[in-house]
Amino acid sequence: MAAPGATLLSDDTTGPIPPALRGILPVLLALPVLALAEVLLGASPFATYLLSVVGVNIILAVSLNIVNGMTGQFSIGHAGFMAVGAYIAGVTSLSLKEVALSFLPVAASDQVLFIVALLAGGACAALCGFLVGLPSLRLRGDYLAIVTLGFGEIIRVVVQNTEAFGRALGLSGIPQYSSVAMVYFWVFLVVLVARRIAGSSHGRSLWAIREDEVAAEAMGVDTTGYKVRAFVISSFFAGIAGGLFAHFVPIINPGSFTFVKSMEIVVMVVLGGLGSTTGAIVAAIFLTLLPEGLRSLFGALGAEGSLAQKVDQIRMPVYGILLVVLMLLRPQGLFGTKELWDVLPRWFSRKKKGLT
């Protein structure tokens, strides 16, 4: 099924990978920047929590954009893969709680075990993505949307009836190992992977499938293989996002990974523009901070005890109104298939022309 709001692909969307993004150099440059950010934000727990939530939503939106945006498929069960990663990583961390690597300081040992738990959660989510995607992505049409919708509900029911996952009460006592630096390290990785995929031959095959799957298959593209690989990568990063989420909230329960959460992520991708990585990032930041902005606005208007406390209930209608307005005024999303650096120069040049 073609994703809603899809637009024709421009020539500059699949440009080559910039030399600065090749090799391991970008990762080495990101590490000291993230360490500095961690030091500066260490004294503000609220800012740390809010930035962590923003980072998790960016990982979810960018990873879903690989399937919904680049490949043109339509997955609406991303929260299910997030739940798999969250619970597997949480259970792994709980089982390794008393373990310490003797050759490392305690803090470093905890972070190594945390990464092991994250990778376990991401790997299980990727395996689920493979099992779900392999049969459904062989077919064209609405099958992936239906299967992923069912998968999310199956995961929720399984968690609610499994003692090891805390049933409906949820899983508590997970070590709080997560930090802003760790969350944004994975944000950096998922953005780097998405950018490299978009500029590679693999990415061009995904764009071809999105534009015309029949034509791509006629040209020799293994459409099922490319779609399944994109879906597995997307599921892996959703599992990582779930693992990070489980390590900075006091408790995780099935209510955190419902269909509503999946639709939130879909809205972020559609709002930013299907196929635009930076569009998904901007939309994830905007929609994550929107409830906090509404709380501050209602509080300033004197609605402290009523509307300000009901922001979580009214945000979904707000998202719906935003989508309707977007479909009417800009159906391709904020950036379409372009990136932020492709759009900003045009906006600035228009302003300059208007001034002259």
Side-chain angles (χ1 to χ4, degrees), residues 33-52 178-181:
V33 175
L34 293 172
L36 178 63
E38 178 67 27
V39 171
L40 295 176
L41 293 168
S44 176
F46 180 70
T48 300
Y49 174 79
L50 199 57
L51 284 172
S52 298
S178 185
S179 61
V180 171

Side-chain angles (χ1 to χ4, degrees), residues 101-127:
L101 302 175
S102 58
F103 57 90
L104 289 175
V106 175
S109 172
D110 290 344
Q111 289 302 306
V112 171
L113 296 176
F114 178 37
I115 292 173
V116 170
L118 286 178
L119 293 177
C124 287
L127 178 62

Side-chain angles (χ1 to χ4, degrees), residues 16-23 25-26 196:
I17 302 171
L21 295 180
R22 297 175 184 170
L25 181 63
R196 285 186 172 180

Side-chain angles (χ1 to χ4, degrees), residues 66-92:
I66 295 174
V67 174
N68 285 22
M70 293 183 191
T71 318
Q73 306 304 304
F74 197 54
S75 169
I76 54 176
H78 219 45
F81 300 103
M82 181 189 180
V84 171
Y87 278 97
I88 296 298
V91 169
T92 305

Side-chain angles (χ1 to χ4, degrees), residues 190-265:
V190 70
V191 172
L192 187 64
V193 168
R195 182 65 187 92
R196 285 186 172 180
I197 288 176
S200 67
S201 59
H202 192 290
R204 282 187 282 276
S205 298
L206 296 181
W207 292 115
I209 293 170
R210 165 192 154 126
E211 294 303 305
D212 193 329
E213 189 172 343
V214 176
E217 197 165 2
M219 293 300 292
V221 175
D222 177 15
T223 55
T224 302
Y226 280 108
K227 286 191 292 184
V228 170
R229 282 192 284 275
F231 195 68
V232 168
I233 293 170
S234 174
S235 304
F236 171 78
F237 281 107
I240 293 292
L244 291 167
F245 178 75
H247 286 80
F248 68 79
V249 295
I251 185 171
I252 56 172
N253 57 57
S256 305
F257 312 102
T258 59
F259 176 69
V260 174
K261 181 62 182 177
S262 293
M263 292 312 298
E264 277 185 31
I265 308 165

